[in-house]
C-alpha cells in the first residue's frame, strides 16, 4: 500500500510538470515584452539554471558519456534558442500562440525519427496520426478560415523567422530525443544544458544589438514565473518518470498543446477562434495516434522519457 501511494504521489508530481510546461508559451511571451526576445530569454534561462542547480543538482560532466555531452548540448541549446526566440520574435500574442503550436509538431516528428533511426516498431496508425497533426497545424495557421492555404501562406509570410524557428525547433527536439535515447546511458545533464543555453543567449545579446530591457514589476513577475515553470517543471518530471506511472504521464503530455493555448490566451489577452481550437485538437489527436502506434511494440514512446514544452 505504501509503495502504491508513493507511486501515485510521484505521478501527481509528474502531472504538475505538465501543467507548468503548459504555461511556458504565455510566460515566455510576457518576459520578452518587457526584456526583449534575446535579453528576456537569457534572463529566464539564467534563473531557471540556478533553480535546476538547487533542485536537480549541479552538473557532473565527468560522469556523462562524451557523445551525450557533445550532441546533447548542441541539440538542446539549439532547440531552446529556437523555442524562446520564435515566441519572443512573434508580432502579436496570437502569433506567439500559433508559433508555440507549430513547436508541438515535435512528438510526431520524434515518432517518425524513432521508427527511421532507432528501430522503433509501429503499426499503421502512425500515418493518419502524422497527417492529422500536420492538418491541425495548417488549420491553426489558416486563421479564422481554418484550412485555408492562401491564409496560411500569408500568415507565415508575415513573420517567417518566428514560424521558421518554431518548425526547426520541432525537428531539432525530435533529433535530440532520438539521439540521446541511444547515447545518454540513463544520465541527465539538464542543469548543464540550461547553463549553456543561458550563455549562448547572453553571447547573442552582448554581440548583437540587444533590445532595451524595461525593468518593472510585470516583467519581473513573468520572469520569475517562467523560470520556475521551466526549472521546477524539469524537477517534477524527473520525479514522475523515475517513480510514477510512466504511461499516465506520457499520455498526459500530449494534451500540453491545448492546455498551453488556453493558458497563453488568458495571459496574453488573445482570443482564439473555433478553427484554432479544432486545429489544436487535431495536433493533440495526431500525436496520440502516433504514440498509440508504438504501444507494446518494443521501444518505449519518446514522451515517456523526453517530453518537452
Amino acid at each position: 500500500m505504501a509503495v502504491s501511494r508513493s507511486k501515485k504521489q510521484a505521478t501527481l508530481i509528474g502531472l504538475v510538470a505538465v501543467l507548468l510546461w503548459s504555461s511556458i508559451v504565455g510566460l515566455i511571451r510576457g518576459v520578452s515584452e518587457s526584456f526583449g526576445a534575446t535579453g528576456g530569454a537569457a534572463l529566464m534561462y539564467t534563473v531557471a539554471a540556478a533553480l535546476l542547480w538547487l533542485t536537480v543538482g549541479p552538473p557532473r560532466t565527468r560522469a556523462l558519456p562524451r557523445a551525450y555531452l557533445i550532441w546533447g548540448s548542441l541539440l538542446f541549446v539549439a532547440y531552446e534558442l529556437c523555442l524562446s526566440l520564435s515566441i519572443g520574435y512573434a508580432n502579436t500574442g496570437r502569433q506567439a500562440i500559433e508559433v508555440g503550436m507549430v513547436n508541438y509538431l515535435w512528438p510526431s516528428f520524434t515518432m517518425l525519427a524513432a521508427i527511421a533511426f532507432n528501430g522503433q516498431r509501429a503499426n499503421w496508425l502512425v500515418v493518419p496520426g502524422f497527417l492529422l497533426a500536420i492538418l491541425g497545424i495548417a488549420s491553426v495557421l489558416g486563421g479564422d478560415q481554418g484550412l485555408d492555404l492562401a491564409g496560411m501562406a500569408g500568415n507565415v509570410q508575415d513573420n517567417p523567422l518566428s514560424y521558421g524557428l518554431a518548425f526547426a525547433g520541432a525537428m531539432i527536439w525530435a533529433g535530440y530525443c532520438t539521439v540521446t535515447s541511444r547515447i545518454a546511458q540513463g544520465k541527465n545533464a539538464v542543469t548543464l544544458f540550461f547553463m549553456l543555453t543561458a550563455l549562448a543567449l547572453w553571447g547573442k545579446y552582448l554581440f548583437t544589438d540587444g533590445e532595451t530591457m524595461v525593468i518593472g514589476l510585470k516583467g519581473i513577475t513573468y520572469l520569475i514565473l517562467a523560470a520556475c515553470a521551466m526549472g521546477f517543471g524539469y524537477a517534477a518530471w524527473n520525479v514522475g518518470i523515475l517513480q510514477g506511472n510512466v504511461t499516465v504521464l506520457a499520455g498526459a503530455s500530449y494534451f500540453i498543446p491545448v492546455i498551453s493555448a488556453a493558458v497563453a490566451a488568458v495571459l496574453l489577452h488573445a482570443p482564439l477562434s473555433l478553427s484554432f481550437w479544432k486545429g489544436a485538437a487535431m495536433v493533440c489527436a495526431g500525436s496520440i495516434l502516433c504514440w498509440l502506434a508504438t504501444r507494446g511494440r518494443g521501444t518505449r514512446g519518446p514522451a515517456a522519457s523526453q517530453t518537452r514544452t
Side-chain angles (χ1 to χ4, degrees):
M1 182 67 69
V3 175
S4 177
R5 187 182 300 115
S6 176
K7 186 173 183 177
K8 289 181 180 179
Q9 291 174 346
T11 302
L12 289 175
I13 292 173
L15 291 175
V16 169
V18 173
L19 295 177
L20 289 174
W21 283 335
S22 296
S23 66
I24 286 298
V25 171
L27 292 176
I28 290 178
R29 180 63 183 178
V31 172
S32 68
E33 289 177 350
S34 293
F35 300 105
T38 305
L43 286 169
M44 180 179 61
Y45 283 99
T46 300
V47 178
L51 291 174
L52 283 168
W53 186 292
L54 295 174
T55 55
V56 177
R60 298 178 176 84
T61 54
R62 291 184 179 180
L64 299 174
R66 183 175 295 275
Y68 172 54
L69 185 61
I70 296 173
W71 288 107
S73 297
L74 289 174
L75 292 172
F76 189 98
V77 172
Y79 168 76
E80 297 295 341
L81 292 178
C82 287
L83 172 67
S84 58
L85 294 179
S86 65
I87 296 172
Y89 287 148
N91 294 329
T92 64
R94 165 67 185 260
Q95 193 172 83
I97 298 173
E98 292 180 355
V99 165
M101 193 60 62
V102 173
N103 172 70
Y104 288 119
L105 280 172
W106 72 260
S108 299
F109 286 156
T110 302
M111 289 297 180
L112 293 182
I115 293 169
F117 302 109
N118 281 359
Q120 172 68 63
R121 291 178 293 172
N123 61 32
W124 61 272
L125 285 175
V126 71
V127 176
F130 180 75
L131 293 177
L132 189 60
I134 295 295
L135 288 175
I137 291 298
S139 180
V140 166
L141 298 185
D144 294 339
Q145 302 302 316
L147 285 171
D148 178 17
L149 293 180
M152 181 179 67
N155 201 5
V156 173
Q157 288 175 2
D158 178 61
N159 192 346
L161 178 59
S162 280
Y163 290 111
L165 284 172
F167 187 80
M171 297 187 69
I172 290 171
W173 191 253
Y176 173 86
C177 294
T178 304
V179 170
T180 57
S181 66
R182 300 172 62 180
I183 63 177
Q185 298 178 17
K187 304 295 183 180
N188 184 355
V190 64
T191 304
L192 172 64
F193 294 163
F194 264 69
M195 293 169 62
L196 292 175
T197 302
L199 287 174
L201 285 164
W202 281 120
K204 181 180 183 302
Y205 182 81
L206 294 174
F207 292 103
T208 59
D209 294 329
E211 311 94 325
T212 301
M213 293 187 183
V214 179
I215 301 176
L217 180 59
K218 178 182 177 182
I220 293 175
T221 301
Y222 269 110
L223 173 61
I224 293 174
L225 290 175
C228 287
M230 283 194 164
F232 292 142
Y234 265 108
W237 185 256
N238 283 341
V239 172
I241 285 298
L242 293 175
Q243 304 175 24
N245 189 317
V246 173
T247 301
V248 171
L249 295 176
S253 70
Y254 286 116
F255 291 95
I256 289 179
V258 170
I259 304 174
S260 175
V263 173
V266 173
L267 291 176
L268 303 178
H269 307 288
L272 302 172
S273 64
L274 179 60
S275 63
F276 176 94
W277 291 114
K278 289 180 179 178
M282 290 168 68
V283 173
C284 288
S287 298
I288 291 171
L289 282 178
C290 287
W291 175 59
L292 290 174
T294 64
R295 294 298 298 164
R297 293 178 174 270
T299 307
R300 183 175 59 182
S305 58
Q306 299 286 0
T307 195
R308 189 63 182 102
T309 55

